[in-house]
Amino acid sequence: MANLVPLISAAERKRGRNDWSASLIVASLTGAFGSSFLYGYNLSVVNAPTVFIKKFYNETWGRRYNQSMEEETVTLLWTISVSIFAIGGLVGALIVTPAVKYFGRKRTLLLNNVFAILAAILMSLSQLAGVLEMIVIGRFIMGIDGGVSLSALPMYLSEISPKQIRGSLGQITAILICVGVFTGQVLGLPEIFGQEPLWPYLFGIIIVPSLLQIAVLPFLPESPRFLLLEKHNMKAAEKAFQTFLGKSDVTYEVEEVLEESRVQRNIQVASIFQLLCDSSKRWQILTVIVTMACYQLCGLNAIWFYTNDIFKGAGLNPEMIPYVTLSTGAVEILAAVFSGLVIERLGRRPLLIGGFNLMVLFFVILTVCMTLQDHAVWLRYLSIFCILAIIASFCIGPGGIPFVLTGEFFPQSQRPAAFMIAGIVNWLSNFAVGLLFPFIQKGLQTYCFLVFAAVCLAGATFLFFVLPETKNKTLTEISQAFAKKKAASENCEMHQLEAKRKPSGEQELNTPVSLENGESKSRIA
């Protein structure tokens, strides 16, 4: 069997387009539509009805306590309603590891729809019930759904896809996030649901993707790697491979997974503490932490904050701004699709590092434009271009590749803990941005973009020196690439220690020794 693996591997590299089976496409789209799509949708859907929901808060408070709510209290309550989504996401990231361990990847995605449906019911019926707390609780529960989704979905996609298209399939997570953001913008238009009596429907629509996933995903197999390595069900794993790959002979795929099983023999599913204590995965963990932190801290939230002001400064009619804002969502989708198409040709490194570097460039240009726009009208239009360019730069690399890398770096036993670490960093960074950005913006004004440019530059520099290319590589090959970097780092530390010891050693070697006859001679080592 081992002798056949190189021959089969060579044949697999020639498969090309045949890697995309119908079952694989349906599983990835259905999984993402009920997961990452909802995450993106809930990021943007709260923008359009902000004024109406604040009015609902005030009216509800007035009926309950016979007095109007102060403006500061309304703003605080609305801020809590928006930011509690990140707290729920952190809770979801914490529970995802035991969930995927006991229920499996597919079943975790299915059970996660309970959170989405419950949140949709609470938020859509809040106005009818006259209970403002239903929106706050619904946003928290929806955050739990997002926290589970952004870990379980990339894990599922990375385990069902052939390595030849692993990156492209993984980018579906990012593409559906962008589609979700765009859908929230479109449905929030005044002609659709962006009206005072209709805003609850914006939250009720959340049920639709969840019901679709519940209807389709049960008919698709569980992750074959989960079935083989954790459930030890060879027959079910082979059948899953055959379904996802669209072929009857899955000898190579099974043997490749079993080879990993031999290396990981007798190793149980690792906890976060066990993974953090594994010195052989130090660089992988650091890379995941850096990429996920930069994913949230790179400044895209600042772009959304300034978009309306920049469009107003360019002379656009305020009534037209919601429609022009749709261009940002369209650019997101196009850039994410482009990344999915070229990731298996260009690789992960160029797209991720290049995306961060382009963001640095356009953040600097945008800072100059917004500082000097009163002196030259054309700078206002250049600011609009910079906004679209920053969004595109984010989506071609930093917007989706971090999720792909997390699934590629770790073996089956450590993958749940790795995604849990990635999720915790992601949601803590998300919460930190929401908490700190208003103060950064108030203190630095337009110069706040330079802070995000520095974050992007630091991330790109780290990845340039640490991140190996993972395109079309097995877990063993990726681990070997990181091991080389670890060895180089250890050699560098050894040379530094030797350099520190050398002067004292030379001084000791050159110390004269007094002999009995009074003569002095150099000590010989």
Side-chain angles (χ1 to χ4, degrees):
M1 181 69 70
N3 294 331
L4 292 176
V5 171
L7 296 177
I8 300 174
S9 179
E12 287 298 313
R13 293 190 183 98
K14 297 179 182 179
R15 285 174 55 85
R17 299 173 186 173
N18 295 332
D19 289 319
W20 292 90
S21 69
S23 297
L24 195 62
I25 295 172
V26 171
S28 57
L29 291 178
T30 304
F33 189 59
S35 302
S36 60
F37 172 86
L38 286 180
Y39 169 75
Y41 181 79
N42 280 279
L43 289 179
S44 64
V45 74
V46 294
N47 294 330
T50 298
V51 176
F52 307 133
I53 296 178
K54 285 183 176 180
K55 182 180 178 182
F56 164 65
Y57 283 175
N58 204 356
E59 292 175 350
T60 304
W61 188 276
R63 288 194 301 268
R64 187 180 298 176
Y65 300 107
N66 295 321
Q67 61 180 7
S68 298
M69 190 183 298
E70 296 182 0
E71 184 64 27
E72 293 79 6
T73 307
V74 175
T75 303
L76 175 62
L77 187 57
W78 175 243
T79 303
I80 293 173
S81 303
V82 174
S83 60
I84 202 170
F85 181 73
I87 303 299
L90 180 60
V91 174
L94 291 173
I95 66 175
V96 74
T97 294
V100 296
K101 176 182 177 182
Y102 294 109
F103 299 118
R105 284 56 166 153
K106 186 189 78 170
R107 195 173 298 174
T108 297
L109 290 174
L110 288 171
L111 292 174
N112 193 39
N113 287 295
V114 174
F115 294 118
I117 294 174
L118 179 59
I121 293 174
L122 287 173
M123 292 187 290
S124 61
L125 297 180
S126 59
Q127 186 182 43
L128 183 64
V131 181
L132 60 88
E133 291 84 359
M134 292 172 67
I135 292 182
V136 180
I137 297 173
R139 287 284 294 175
F140 174 76
I141 296 174
M142 199 66 232
I144 297 176
D145 175 88
V148 174
S149 296
L150 292 188
S151 294
L153 175 65
M155 200 183 309
Y156 182 60
L157 295 182
S158 68
E159 293 180 5
I160 68 174
S161 61
K163 66 181 181 181
Q164 291 81 4
I165 60 170
R166 192 170 52 207
S168 296
L169 195 71
Q171 280 296 87
I172 289 179
T173 300
I175 294 172
L176 266 293
I177 289 176
C178 297
V179 174
V181 171
F182 184 70
T183 304
Q185 293 173 339
V186 172
L187 295 181
L189 292 174
E191 289 80 4
I192 307 179
F193 295 130
Q195 307 174 35
E196 185 170 1
L198 300 179
W199 64 263
Y201 291 100
L202 287 170
F203 299 109
I205 287 177
I206 293 172
I207 293 179
V208 176
S210 295
L211 293 179
L212 180 63
Q213 189 180 82
I214 292 173
V216 177
L217 203 58
F219 297 98
L220 295 165
E222 175 59 88
S223 160
R225 299 178 67 89
F226 172 79
L227 294 172
L228 189 58
L229 296 181
E230 297 186 36
K231 293 299 182 181
H232 308 292
N233 191 335
M234 173 72 76
K235 186 176 180 180
E238 288 181 350
K239 187 176 180 180
F241 270 127
Q242 290 169 349
T243 301
F244 286 130
L245 301 181
K247 61 179 184 178
S248 58
D249 184 8
V250 292
T251 307
Y252 169 69
E253 286 76 15
V254 173
E255 179 62 27
E256 188 177 49
V257 176
L258 288 176
E259 182 62 30
E260 178 185 328
S261 177
R262 296 185 192 103
V263 175
Q264 298 288 319
R265 191 183 298 268
N266 297 326
I267 295 181
Q268 301 296 322
V269 176
S271 65
I272 286 185
F273 180 75
Q274 291 171 328
L275 179 57
L276 293 175
C277 292
D278 188 349
S279 60
S280 65
K281 295 296 186 291
R282 180 180 63 179
W283 286 109
Q284 289 93 317
I285 295 171
L286 283 175
T287 304
V288 167
I289 291 174
V290 169
T291 52
M292 294 308 298
C294 291
Y295 171 78
Q296 290 290 351
L297 302 177
C298 65
L300 206 65
N301 291 336
I303 291 298
W304 295 123
F305 181 86
Y306 275 102
T307 296
N308 288 349
D309 291 338
I310 292 174
F311 286 162
K312 289 178 183 177
L316 295 177
N317 188 328
E319 295 180 357
M320 291 297 298
I321 288 178
Y323 304 94
V324 178
T325 304
L326 294 179
S327 63
T328 60
V331 167
E332 275 191 308
I333 295 174
L334 292 175
V337 171
F338 171 78
S339 177
L341 293 175
V342 303
I343 188 172
E344 298 301 347
R345 296 183 181 181
L346 300 180
R348 285 66 159 152
R349 266 180 62 91
L351 291 176
L352 187 57
I353 298 173
F356 278 130
N357 284 329
L358 286 175
M359 292 182 73
V360 172
L361 173 64
F362 290 115
F363 269 133
V364 173
I365 298 175
L366 181 60
T367 301
V368 174
C369 292
M370 294 193 67
T371 304
L372 303 177
Q373 64 181 357
D374 293 335
H375 302 281
V377 177
W378 61 272
L379 288 177
R380 299 175 181 177
Y381 299 98
L382 183 57
S383 297
I384 295 177
F385 172 78
C386 287
I387 282 181
L388 298 178
I390 290 170
I391 293 172
S393 301
F394 174 81
C395 291
I396 63 172
I401 293 179
F403 300 102
V404 177
L405 293 178
T406 306
E408 292 181 327
F409 284 170
F410 301 92
Q412 189 78 12
S413 60
Q414 296 177 333
R415 194 170 291 128
F419 271 101
M420 191 173 185
I421 293 173
I424 291 172
V425 174
N426 178 29
W427 291 101
L428 284 178
S429 301
N430 185 315
F431 182 73
V433 168
L435 187 66
L436 299 177
F437 175 70
F439 300 99
I440 296 174
Q441 187 273 332
K442 185 176 181 180
L444 299 178
Q445 299 295 324
T446 56
Y447 291 102
C448 70
F449 294 120
L450 297 180
V451 175
F452 301 117
V455 171
C456 293
L457 182 60
T461 303
F462 174 87
L463 295 171
F464 178 80
F465 288 106
V466 174
L467 178 65
E469 182 53 67
T470 61
K471 180 184 69 172
N472 289 337
K473 291 185 178 180
T474 63
L475 175 65
T476 303
E477 293 169 337
I478 295 171
S479 299
Q480 289 173 350
F482 273 109
K484 292 178 181 178
K485 294 184 179 294
K486 180 184 176 183
S489 175
E490 290 175 349
N491 288 336
C492 181
E493 292 176 359
M494 289 290 293
H495 288 312
Q496 291 176 352
L497 289 174
E498 290 176 0
K500 291 179 180 179
R501 292 173 181 173
K502 188 174 180 181
S504 59
E506 290 178 350
Q507 183 178 3
E508 185 177 320
L509 288 173
N510 295 328
T511 301
V513 180
S514 297
L515 303 179
E516 291 181 359
N517 58 5
E519 297 178 355
S520 296
K521 292 186 178 181
S522 296
R523 177 179 301 170
I524 300 176

